[in-house]
Amino acid sequence: MSAYVLVLYYSRNGSTLEMAKHIARGVEQAGIEARLRTVPAVSATTEATEPGIPDSGAIYCSAEDLKHCAGLILGSPTRFGNMAAPMKYFLDGTSGHWLNGDLINKPAAVFTSTSTLHGGQESTLLSMMLPLLHQGMVIAGIPYSEPGLNTTLTGGSPYGASHFAHGDKPTRLSDVEMDLCQALGKRVATLALKLHS
Ligand SMILES: Cc1cc2nc3c(=O)[nH]c(=O)nc-3n(C[C@H](O)[C@H](O)[C@H](O)COP(=O)(O)O)c2cc1C
């Protein structure tokens, strides 16, 4: 099986999905496959189930997709300063990977989208790292050698890629946000290639 970086996201309105696509482009620029996957929504109505194949976007992530990745880039919209429940629910189901040590020493990074500029991008990014550290992953951020980090008036942080969506409707990523998404994808892919070999 050839190596791939898993770009795993949840997105309700499309902004986080848009980021995932730019990140995947960065991954592939480094010469490794980007595997785009999503997670099902969760519902407070316990009888409700999602269809096996989502109506739009990537297909759902399987246990095998996660187990065999050479690197992982995890994205979620910010919800009350933290990741969205569907992504947390998915991660809470990865005890098997934790017990087997499937993700130990693999590089990982995080990304998020918010509707407000100061609505919790950094707290979301930092809290998304916690389960990845428990899994033994090696966390990569964005270094300040990326010029966009010093000039951005929108998203982008050393903790990971971010997008300021100006509300709930998906808006176009700014040029800097796009650059930083690609840089993050490329960085994790480069690390994955080095660590994988
Ligand atoms: C329940 C809920 C909580 C949210 N909490 C925040 C928040 O804490 N800060 C913020 O800036 N935006 C918040 N938002 C807005 C989303 O983060 C924002 O619209 C994001 O871009 C959606 O991403 P998506 O298009 O990928 O679904 C919240 C949205 C919902 C539905």
Side-chain angles (χ1 to χ4, degrees), residues 79-134:
R79 295 220 168 141
F80 302 118
N82 210 317
M83 78 179 94
M87 184 56 79
K88 180 67 167 59
Y89 185 79
F90 175 86
L91 292 173
D92 285 357
T94 60
S95 310
H97 297 296
W98 176 75
L99 283 167
N100 291 334
D102 291 335
L103 300 174
I104 289 175
N105 289 342
K106 295 180 179 180
V110 290
F111 61 102
T112 192
S113 173
T114 57
S115 61
T116 59
L117 188 53
H118 300 290
Q121 291 189 348
E122 295 185 353
S123 59
T124 301
L125 293 172
L126 289 169
S127 57
M128 286 176 76
M129 292 176 188
L130 301 179
L132 304 181
L133 287 165
H134 278 255

